[in-house]
Amino acid sequence: MEQKAIKDLIEKSGVLGFDFENDDVCVTWEVTPGAGMMLARRVADYDDGDYEEECFAVPYAELNSVDALYDDILIDFVEFYFDSLRGGDGDEWNLFSDIASPADEGLREMLSFFGKTYGEFLCRVFFWYGIFIETDELADEDDCSESGLNEDERLVKKVLDRLGERTLDIYYDEMGAGYYWVFTLEHDEIWYSSECYGCSDYGYYIGDPEYGHISIYDADAVFSLSDFIRAQLSFGDYRLEDSGNCLGLLGIELDEI
């Protein structure tokens, strides 16, 4: 769907919008249920006259993408006030007493569209703030340029750095190589990373890790991830180290492979 079409539908819906601001910019998220998809628009209106707008259309069939849209809004909010929250002066902006308070009608309306309560909103905000604070900052530009990861991959990395205690190591003796996985289950999502490793004519190597996360309610995504690991377990003889019952998390039974 084109950006203009999304914008027109949102404007016709008359939604209130979830607003948050500081001295420099006001950010507004407008979300409304559409025909077969969730529609959203993010507007940033700067005091110096600059203006940014971005629209999104997420099919309801892609449950993981709808959840990701909700997280994107909360991440935007936490990142916006990160310094104030970390410095203990969020009251300067009336956080949670005016902005993002239980009486914030725009927020309450948006939460209703996602099927969330205010309490669930706060818990998720604190979850993301915990991720950011324990890894210094979400948007560390130097780290971003060095890692080459996109925003979603950086978030997965930060979650796993903090919470990833389940590991799966699949090693093939004949090839002298293997795959190393890290998992965690948090807020109804499976967060994971995967990297290959081994020996070559040039010495020992470790491949670039791949990052992802899926909703436990997205049966197709869970099956796809499980099937990918089943394929790795069918290559030949291997040694397996499963710390944290990773196979059980993904519903994999070794005697069925």
Side-chain angles (χ1 to χ4, degrees), residues 36-54:
M37 59 185 62
M38 187 77 81
L39 306 177
R41 177 171 67 162
R42 181 189 187 274
V43 173
D45 194 358
Y46 294 87
D47 284 354
D48 63 6
D50 284 347
Y51 180 86
E52 296 174 357
E53 181 181 68
E54 190 172 6

Side-chain angles (χ1 to χ4, degrees), residues 103 135 155 250:
T135 54
L155 290 174
L250 297 168

